[in-house]
Amino acid sequence: MAVGLKALVALAPVAGVRVGTASAGIKKAGKLDLVVFELSEGATVASAFTKNQFCAAPVQVAKKHLAASAARYLLINTGNANAGTGQAGRINAIRCCETLAALTGVAADAVLPFSTGVIGEPLPVEKIETALPGALENLVADGWNRAATGIMTTDTLPKGVSKMVLIDGKPVTITGIAKGAGMIKPNMATMLSYIATDAAVDAARLQSIFSRAVDRSFNRITVDGDTSTNDAAILVATGKSGVVINDANGNQFEDAVTVLCIELAQMLVRDGEGATKFVAVVVNGGAVEQECLKAAYTIAESPLVKTALFASDPNWGRLLAAIGRAGIEALDVDLVELHINGVLIAENGCRAASYTEAQGVAAMAGEEIEIRVNLNRGAASTTVWTTDLSHDYVTINAEYRT
Amino acid sequence: MAVGLKALVALAPVAGVRVGTASAGIKKAGKLDLVVFELSEGATVASAFTKNQFCAAPVQVAKKHLAASAARYLLINTGNANAGTGQAGRINAIRCCETLAALTGVAADAVLPFSTGVIGEPLPVEKIETALPGALENLVADGWNRAATGIMTTDTLPKGVSKMVLIDGKPVTITGIAKGAGMIKPNMATMLSYIATDAAVDAARLQSIFSRAVDRSFNRITVDGDTSTNDAAILVATGKSGVVINDANGNQFEDAVTVLCIELAQMLVRDGEGATKFVAVVVNGGAVEQECLKAAYTIAESPLVKTALFASDPNWGRLLAAIGRAGIEALDVDLVELHINGVLIAENGCRAASYTEAQGVAAMAGEEIEIRVNLNRGAASTTVWTTDLSHDYVTINAEYRT
C-alpha cells in the first residue's frame, strides 16, 4: 500500500559507527528485533524526542543518559514499546543499558535505550539480555541495511538514505534510517530515526542544526495527528572524515542533513497506514509561518479532506472550510487562492470562474497530490506532508489485535 | 446506523410561533426542503453561528439582519448550502428574504435566512420563490414535526424535543428541533437548530442564557473535528405564556433550556456519520475547565481512539497517549486515572493492577461508552460527546457523490 516508496538501496557505512543486529524473539521467531549502534569515542550526539507527556520509559532514560554522559551505544528493540509501564518500565530500560555496558566496558549512562512496539506490556528484559552478545558479535560497519529492517514494526519496507557531499573539497558521508510511525503508525508506537555522519561537529552546533532540520522534516509530517509516546531521532557526528563543520561550511552541511531528513520523513508518509495518496500541503502568503502551519495542519488532518482525497474527489468546499476553521486571525477569505496539482480551484471566496469539474477530477487522479493555498497576506510559507484516510486505515487500526 | 436514537415524538406547539413547510424541488421532488417560521411581534431572538471564517452567505446575511431589526420570519432551505458562493451568494440570500418580506408585509431585514446542503453551487432562488406562497399558506402552530423533517439532509431520523416546565407556578413550553451536522455531517454542511419558548425574556438575558446553554451542548459535541460553514442555532422567546423570566427564576429557565439543548446535541451525535458507538468523554480533576476540554477533545477526535472504539478494543495506551499530547501544562501523568464504563483501566502511569483484559472487553462491548479521566489536580470538569470512526464513516464521506 506504500505510495511510491522504493526498495531500500545499499546504505553507505559511516566511519566510526558499527551496527549489530539480533533476533531476540520479542517479535516472531527469526525476525530481527534488536539493533545496537556502536559509536566511536569522541562522537557528538544530537537528539529530538516526542513531546507527548506520557513519554515511554526508554525516552525518559535516554534523555537522562544524554545529559549525563557521552553516548557510546544506542540500543533499540522492537516488538515492545516499554510505554505505559510506569516505574517498572524505567527500571527495565536501565537494566538493559547496564547489561550492554557490562558487556562492552562502558558506563551504563553511555547507553541510550529505544523501544517500539506494543504499549503497556512489560519489557521482556531477559530476551534482550540473552540476545545482546550475539548483536555485539556481529557489529559491522555496513550493518545499516540490516538495522533498517531490524527497527521495523508495521512498516511495509525498510527505509534509509545515504548522501555523500563534498565539504571543503573533502567527502563527507551522511547515512540515516527510519521506521514509520510517529503520527503515522502510532499503534506500534513510534517513529524512530538514526542518522550518522563522519563530519566533526561540536555538540552545540550539531544540536542546533539537527533541531532545525527535524523541524523542517519529521515535524512537518502527519497521518492522523496522533503522536507517539516513543518518538525519537538521533544524529551522530563521529568526526572520522577529518572535515570540521564551522560557520563557513555550516549551511552546506545543514542543507545536506535537512534534505536527508526530509527524504526519510517523506518515506514515513509514503508508508503511512492505508495510504493511497502522497499529499503535499503547501501554504504560501502567510503573515507568519505559524499561521501557514495552522492552515496546513488543519487541511492535512481534516477527516473530511482526507476521505475526499481517498475518493480522488476535488472537494474544494471541504478545503475552504478547513482553512476557515484553522484559527487564522482576521483572515480575508476573499483573498485566498487554492490550487490542486496546479489547477486553480477557488478564489474570491468561491469556485474559480475558469474551473471545470473535469480539471479537478484530472488533478486528483494521480497518487501524488499537491494542495497549494495562497493566503495572500504576507511572505511566509510552509509545507506539510500527509496521506489520505482510507478504508485500510480503519481496518489496520480497528483490527490490528485480531 | 443511529446509536440509540428514537423516533420523533409529537412536538408541542409554542404560542406565538407558526411553522410552514413546502417542497421546492431543491432536494428530490416531493421531499420537504423549505421551512418558514413565523414569529409573533415582540418576540426576542438569541443566536449562535459558526465560527468558521468561510461562513456561508446566509450566515453573513442573518447576522446583519439580526443586528438591524427584530426578526419576524426564519427562512430555511435544504439541498443547497449557498456556501463558497462569494458575492453572488449574498445577493441570492437577500433576494429570498426580500421575496418573503414582500409576501408578508414585513421589512426584508426582519427575515433571517438559513441554508444547508451542497457547497459551492448557486442557490436556486426561483425554486424557493415559487414555493414560498405554499409554505405561508400552510403555516400552523403544530408544524414542528414537519419542520424537523424539512430541515433534514443526510440525517437518518428527524430530531426534536419538547419540554413543559412550571415557572412561578405557570406552565412554560420549550420546543426545539435540530438537524445533524456541525462537526457531524458537514459534507451536507450544517448543524441547524431552532428552539422557541412562550416565556417572556428580554433580548440581552435571552442571549446570555442561550450562549451558556450552547456552550454546554452544541459546543461539546464532535464527530470528526470538522466545523461547518453554515452552523446556526436560534432561540426565540414569544412571551405568550405571560411568564416573565427574571433574576429570581432565571436559573430554572436556563437549566431547562440547557437540558433541551444537550438532548438535541446528543441526538446529533447519535446520528453521526457511520456511528456505531455513543461516547461520553468525561474529564474531571482539572485545574481549569479549559484543560479538561483540551484532554476531552484530544481523546474525542483522535483517529486512533475512535478506531479502537469502533473495534470495541479497550486500547488504554491510545487514551493515555491522547491525554499526553493534549497540551496540558506540567501534567503529572502518574496522577491520571482512567475508567471505561466504571472499570479502572490505568493509574500511576500504567495499567491498573486490578485490571483484566476481560473487564476491558466487557466495558467496551455496549453501544454506550463512558470514558472517564481524572487528572487529579483540581476541581474543574467537562463532558464532550462523540462517536467512533467506522468503515461507514469513510464510505459516506468518500463516496457520497457517487
Side-chain angles (χ1 to χ4, degrees), chain B residues 105-363:
Chain B
V106 301
D109 57 11
V111 180
L112 307 181
F114 305 86
S115 298
T116 176
V118 176
I119 292 183
E121 299 294 332
L123 187 71
V125 177
E126 292 75 13
K127 288 183 178 179
I128 293 171
E129 291 181 320
T130 304
L132 268 176
L136 293 174
E137 271 163 34
N138 69 28
L139 279 171
V140 284
D142 66 351
W144 285 88
N145 281 67
R146 283 175 64 84
T149 300
I151 64 173
M152 285 168 61
T153 51
T154 57
D155 305 62
T156 65
L157 282 171
K159 301 171 184 72
V161 190
S162 284
K163 282 197 184 306
M164 201 267 281
V165 281
L166 285 179
I167 297 183
D168 300 341
K170 291 180 199 155
V172 165
T173 298
I174 315 174
T175 290
I177 60 173
K179 62 152 297 219
M183 303 77 92
I184 303 172
K185 289 183 190 293
N187 79 51
M188 294 306 282
T190 295
M191 178 216 110
L192 295 177
S193 182
Y194 303 95
I195 307 166
T197 177
D198 52 10
V201 197
D202 71 77
R205 186 187 296 272
L206 191 71
Q207 184 63 54
S208 73
I209 287 172
F210 193 48
S211 294
R212 287 191 295 267
V214 167
D215 206 43
R216 294 169 64 188
S217 56
F218 299 120
N219 285 347
R220 288 290 178 280
I221 60 176
T222 179
V223 167
D224 49 23
D226 276 288
T227 62
S228 152
T229 52
N230 293 52
D231 291 336
I234 295 290
L235 171 60
V236 173
T238 66
K240 295 295 181 190
S241 69
V243 176
V244 179
I245 302 304
N246 51 36
D247 284 352
N249 59 23
N251 283 345
Q252 192 197 346
F253 175 73
E254 179 168 336
D255 285 352
V257 169
T258 302
V259 168
L260 184 138
C261 289
I262 289 175
E263 289 179 34
L264 289 174
Q266 291 190 348
M267 289 178 187
L268 301 182
V269 172
R270 289 181 184 281
D271 208 11
E273 287 172 335
T276 75
K277 302 273 186 188
F278 176 77
V279 185
V281 183
V282 183
V283 179
N284 296 317
V288 291
E289 193 192 359
Q290 195 55 37
E291 69 185 30
C292 298
L293 266 180
K294 278 184 185 174
Y297 270 115
T298 307
I299 291 170
E301 294 177 357
S302 160
L304 288 177
V305 170
K306 294 171 95 74
T307 47
L309 284 162
F310 172 52
S312 298
D313 174 8
N315 194 314
W316 54 273
R318 294 183 185 181
L319 288 162
L320 294 189
I323 297 165
R325 70 177 170 89
I328 300 172
E329 199 79 24
L331 177 69
D332 183 345
V333 298
D334 287 346
L335 294 183
V336 174
E337 287 172 357
L338 175 66
H339 289 80
I340 297 178
N341 279 5
V343 175
L344 176 64
I345 307 280
E347 58 181 349
N348 301 319
C350 58
R351 185 167 50 198
S354 59
Y355 174 75
T356 64
E357 182 81 3
Q359 282 182 324
V361 168

Side-chain angles (χ1 to χ4, degrees), chain A residues 52 226 311 315 321 324-325 398 400, chain B residues 52-53 226 311 315 321 325 398 400:
Chain A
N52 196 304
D226 275 289
N315 194 314
R325 71 176 170 90
Y400 77 105
Chain B
N52 196 304
Q53 292 178 295
D226 276 288
N315 194 314
R325 70 177 170 89
Y400 77 105

